Amino acid sequence: MVGREPPRQRGTAAATVRGGPRGLLAVRLPAAGRAGGAAIAAACAALALMAAAALLAPWLTAHDPVATDTSAVSLPPGTPGHPLGTDALGRDLAARMLFGARSSLLVGVVAGAATVVLGTLLGGLAAVAPRPVDALITRTADALLALPLVLVAMAIAAVAGSSFGTVVAAIAATAWMPVALIARAEVGALRERPFVRAARGLGLSRTRVLTRHLLPGALPPIAAIAAFEVGHAVLTESTLSFLGIGVPANRPSWGGLLADARSQMLSGQWYAVAVPAAAIVAAIIAVNVLATAFDRHAAAAGRTW
Amino acid sequence: MSRRAAPGAPLLRVGGLVVEAATGGGAVRRIVDGLDLDLHPGEVTALVGRSGSGKTLTARSLIGLAPRGVLARGSALLDTGDGAPVDLLALSRRRLRAVRGARVGAVFQEAQAGLNPTVRVGGHFTETLAAHGVPRSERRAAGAAALARVGLVPSTGLWTAYPFELSGGQAQRVAIALATVLAPRLLIADEITSALDAVTRAEVLDLLRGQTVAAGCALLLVTHDLDVAGRWADRIAVLDGGRIVEHGRAAALLAAPAHPFTRALVGGDEGAGA
Ligand SMILES: Nc1ncnc2c1ncn2[C@@H]1O[C@H](COP(=O)(O)OP(=O)(O)OP(=O)(O)O)[C@@H](O)[C@H]1O
Ligand SMILES: [Mg+2]
């Protein structure tokens, strides 16, 4: 069998997009073995801890994260009753970190999932749709990839007003492209597989063929990139919240904490910035470590079919 | 089948089939160039020809499954058993989908690859039957009956097996059962036995031939093996240069091949299609 299908960029998109962590805070795992195993364990532990903090926030602190207290402003860490100190309005930083984990991690997971779903659907559609639709989707993806996406997300969030939904939408709208390119390449490669042809020959509808016979086969490589998308979403959410256009200001988030702490930097209260910044960095590194491990595992296991 | 066409009327009449493949730079390559072929009810017709002669593209074009960049025109009138014949090449996508699987079945080479590795045997049947509106409660029984017809024991184990748990011969039978579960009028089988051992091949072809004759449907057996054609086909059509160069009763054609290409095939004998 020779030259079965005109070059539809099979595999190439996946090849360029895949192959390890992307962007800021991308980490390279040491080659498998001890160090790799330890990194994975540490990443799991860190994420489990953060998830627990987010879930159990109301039980882990006696303070209300948004209650101001003029008698206890700008206390340093270690003050009795305020383990991480307080901010300029006297709000307890530990409580704000715990409740902030809720916003940041929730947005990360939800926006990451939205990104993956959107990207998978658009990429799968591009692979099976008539050429004009395919061209529209791929051109849009290419154009978006060429833009500074944080600015695009900022524009969306600024126009739509800050809310949880807006942040998720802004992240998904600016992050779906790598997922779509992978989905398109994978589905495109599967299209000519004999079982797909057989399914069409049995009279199954296009939708059925796409959802039952094409997308499932494309999921393993998409799953590998999904975790990266979560890390990316956490970072974007922090950026937007830092700029004041993320989750609403009355809900603490790590990015919002950074924004609040800007003024305190100058008065020597570096910890007000360092603590949330460290949490953001740690969360993203942990997610990326797991994503890399997963990606490697998937690559090593190979396609089982 | 309710209404039988007039005696002698073909079940499928392919007329002036042209298949062209787009090559780079807007040019097209004509692979099939005006193919005419009649398939008759209750008969097995073998489409033979050397490798690359366009047998597979012809078979796939008939059910609208030509690969991307390959276009077919001409006509393929199928007597569906109810009403006027339909032109398979002119059907809307929706109507073609209703015809595929129900009126026309297709089995391709490498049956194992023709089954989705992540879907159980039973799942293949239920989704096919569902696509053609068979009620949920009847699907299992219909699938089991089809499996039994191809000589498999429709046990729960088989129904819940994944394709990779089947042998090549079992997978081929499952694929045939799947393509014939709705008793199509026409079955297209493209090189379905080239991966099987001689005994299994004989079993599978005996079975297909038996079904074809018994049900009065038509079987298009695509093969490059003249021995297979001679033993299991009623008629042989020889494809060369994009056209049918010779067409006739199997025995007569093999005994006295008229076209030089057929003569070469017959003369080359055992090694014929290789
Ligand atoms: N997707 C395609 N695009 C363009 N040309 C194709 C495509 N598929 C097949 N061809 C060409 O069409 C011709 C006929 O191919 P086809 O697969 O129909 O041959 P065949 O008779 O079935 O051969 P074989 O006996 O080896 O299966 C070949 O020259 C092949 O290169
Ligand atoms: Mg072929």
Side-chain angles (χ1 to χ4, degrees):
Chain A
M1 307 227 181
V2 281
R4 271 285 124 119
E5 147 143 315
R8 227 194 181 226
Q9 233 192 318
R10 16 164 104 154
T12 52
T16 48
V17 177
R18 265 190 105 177
R22 304 174 298 120
L24 215 50
L25 299 179
V27 284
R28 287 234 155 256
L29 264 191
R34 264 273 193 75
I40 293 168
C44 285
L47 287 178
L49 216 66
M50 290 181 191
L55 286 173
L56 304 176
W59 295 277
L60 292 178
T61 175
H63 294 281
D64 179 343
V66 293
T68 55
D69 179 358
T70 43
S71 66
V73 295
S74 302
L75 296 174
T79 311
H82 297 290
L84 291 179
T86 58
D87 68 6
L89 297 174
R91 295 175 297 197
D92 180 62
L93 278 179
R96 290 180 71 69
M97 280 300 296
L98 289 171
F99 281 90
R102 293 192 146 186
S103 311
S104 295
L105 297 183
L106 188 64
V107 169
V109 171
V110 173
T115 302
V116 169
V117 170
L118 184 66
T120 305
L121 289 181
L122 285 174
L125 184 65
V128 298
R131 283 189 190 271
V133 178
D134 177 30
L136 180 70
I137 294 173
T138 39
R139 297 274 153 70
T140 310
D142 286 344
L144 275 176
L145 282 171
L147 294 175
L149 289 172
V150 169
L151 293 185
V152 178
M154 276 171 57
I156 296 175
V159 169
S162 71
S163 79
F164 184 84
T166 309
V167 176
V168 169
I171 292 173
T174 54
W176 58 272
M177 298 81 67
V179 182
L181 292 180
I182 288 180
R184 176 175 173 276
E186 293 290 330
V187 169
L190 286 171
R191 281 193 48 155
E192 289 288 313
R193 291 282 294 274
F195 68 82
V196 175
R197 192 189 313 144
R200 292 172 62 207
L202 288 167
L204 300 199
S205 69
R206 294 183 138 211
T207 325
R208 183 82 186 162
V209 171
L210 179 65
T211 55
R212 170 103 153 190
H213 294 279
L214 289 172
L215 287 181
L219 286 187
I222 292 174
I225 198 178
F228 287 119
E229 294 301 340
V230 172
H232 174 80
V234 170
L235 185 63
T236 310
E237 182 277 324
S238 303
T239 309
L240 294 178
S241 295
F242 176 73
L243 296 168
I245 48 180
V247 295
N250 58 4
R251 268 172 79 172
S253 79
W254 291 345
L257 259 72
L258 276 182
D260 296 341
R262 253 179 313 185
S263 55
Q264 289 171 281
M265 276 283 278
L266 303 175
S267 47
Q269 288 143 328
W270 55 270
Y271 51 84
V273 168
V275 171
I280 293 169
V281 170
I284 294 168
I285 288 181
V287 167
N288 283 354
V289 164
L290 289 190
T292 310
F294 188 76
D295 196 27
R296 260 199 211 151
H297 180 74
R303 255 359 94 67
T304 38
W305 52 83
Chain B
M1 296 292 135
S2 50
R3 195 192 313 184
R4 271 290 167 82
L11 197 150
L12 179 76
R13 165 158 283 178
V14 183
L17 179 70
V18 173
V19 179
E20 287 174 334
T23 54
V28 292
R29 202 184 119 211
R30 189 166 287 198
I31 294 159
V32 175
D33 186 15
L35 177 146
D36 300 310
L37 182 63
D38 283 355
L39 302 189
H40 298 277
E43 284 190 356
V44 178
T45 302
L47 180 62
V48 301
R50 75 178 93 203
S51 188
S53 57
K55 303 182 296 292
T56 295
L57 287 188
T58 300
R60 288 179 61 175
S61 299
L62 290 180
I63 44 171
L65 286 182
R68 282 211 158 198
V70 175
L71 286 182
R73 57 191 145 81
S75 67
L77 295 173
L78 175 76
D79 171 16
T80 59
D82 36 39
V86 295
D87 185 354
L88 293 177
L89 298 184
L91 284 180
S92 68
R93 208 197 296 280
R94 173 185 293 269
R95 295 200 47 212
L96 182 60
R97 204 156 65 214
V99 166
R100 283 178 189 160
R103 307 298 182 156
V104 183
V107 191
F108 299 99
Q109 205 176 348
E110 302 166 53
Q112 209 128 24
L115 300 171
N116 186 332
T118 63
V119 177
R120 295 170 194 272
V121 168
H124 284 92
F125 282 94
T126 45
E127 73 173 355
T128 301
L129 292 162
H132 292 282
V134 175
R136 189 179 298 271
S137 57
E138 295 168 22
R139 293 177 197 159
R140 174 81 193 247
L147 286 169
R149 277 202 299 274
V150 299
L152 291 170
V153 180
S155 62
T156 308
L158 177 61
W159 192 255
T160 57
Y162 283 102
F164 62 83
E165 297 172 297
L166 306 174
S167 73
Q170 282 176 321
Q172 192 62 269
R173 284 166 197 248
V174 168
I176 293 170
L178 196 54
T180 54
V181 67
L182 288 158
R185 305 267 294 158
L186 168 66
L187 184 66
I188 296 173
D190 185 3
E191 306 279 9
I192 57 167
T193 55
S194 36
L196 301 182
D197 64 84
V199 176
T200 315
R201 174 197 317 177
E203 280 175 12
V204 166
L205 288 173
D206 281 343
L207 182 142
L208 277 181
R209 184 177 167 79
Q211 282 195 2
T212 305
V213 174
C217 41
L219 172 62
L220 180 63
L221 194 63
V222 176
T223 178
H224 55 238
D225 186 340
L226 263 192
D227 290 338
V228 166
R231 184 161 159 203
W232 281 283
D234 299 290
R235 293 170 194 258
I236 297 179
V238 182
L239 178 62
D240 187 41
R243 290 164 182 268
I244 300 296
V245 293
E246 194 164 6
H247 185 195
R249 292 260 157 213
L253 188 144
L254 291 180
H259 195 270
F261 174 70
T262 323
R263 236 176 275 150
L265 267 186
V266 175
D269 214 11
E270 267 66 52

